[in-house]
Amino acid sequence: MRRRGFTLVEMTVVVSLASIVLGGVAVLLQGVWRAERSVADHRAIRAAMFRLGELFRADVHAGKVADAMTPPDGATADKIALALPGDRTVEYSWANAQIERVVRVNGEIVHQDTFPLPAGATAVWQVADAEPRLVTLLITMPLGVKQLELADKRTMRIDAVIDRRSPAIARAK
């Protein structure tokens, strides 16, 4: 007489194999979610940096005076102020892993933007003394430990010339 059903050993083997497969799928899904999160964060930072670059260049090109607030070392600044036509000023500053842009008209804040940077990033401004006056924003961001790169940091450089629309600059070109 033949019995129907499964033995306890067969059931244990099936349950063990199923748990191994499900564990592998869980690890794979976690890796995919982590990669998706990393790509989304990278995309958001790139979009913010692109917008920052566009605004920074437009502000510097329209600006008349650049005043970089220089720390004691004298090499670079973590804040810069630009005087624009129409009693407007634009200040850029870096603190707490973000760059802040503040637009003032007659001393009152009329607009404010915040550009988040990854943890461990730094931002500094440099203003050239020679004509045409070049203003440079240097943003250094860590790449992370799992990047397949030769360096552990990446520096993004945004250059713009103060008052690019002036006749002296146009003749120099």
Side-chain angles (χ1 to χ4, degrees), residues 44-99:
I45 288 171
R46 282 190 54 173
M49 292 300 101
F50 178 78
R51 186 165 179 270
L52 171 65
E54 294 291 313
L55 288 171
F56 181 72
R57 285 187 194 99
D59 290 338
V60 173
H61 291 323
K64 298 287 184 191
V65 177
D67 183 20
M69 287 62 166
T70 308
D73 66 3
T76 58
D78 56 1
K79 187 174 185 180
I80 191 167
L82 301 164
L84 302 177
D87 291 328
R88 289 178 54 218
T89 60
V90 178
E91 295 175 4
Y92 286 89
S93 61
W94 173 78
N96 301 326
Q98 65 184 14
I99 294 176

Side-chain angles (χ1 to χ4, degrees), residues 127-134:
V127 180
D129 291 331
E131 291 293 330
R133 291 189 67 195
L134 181 69

Side-chain angles (χ1 to χ4, degrees), residues 3-5 19 22 33 35 37 65 89 115 119 121 127 136 142 150 172:
R3 293 183 309 177
R4 293 183 179 231
S19 64
L22 289 176
W33 287 332
R37 196 174 332 122
V65 177
T89 60
F115 302 94
V127 180
T136 302
L150 297 176

Side-chain angles (χ1 to χ4, degrees), residues 113-135:
D113 292 301
T114 302
F115 302 94
L117 299 176
T122 60
V124 294
W125 286 266
Q126 299 171 338
V127 180
D129 291 331
E131 291 293 330
R133 291 189 67 195
L134 181 69
V135 179

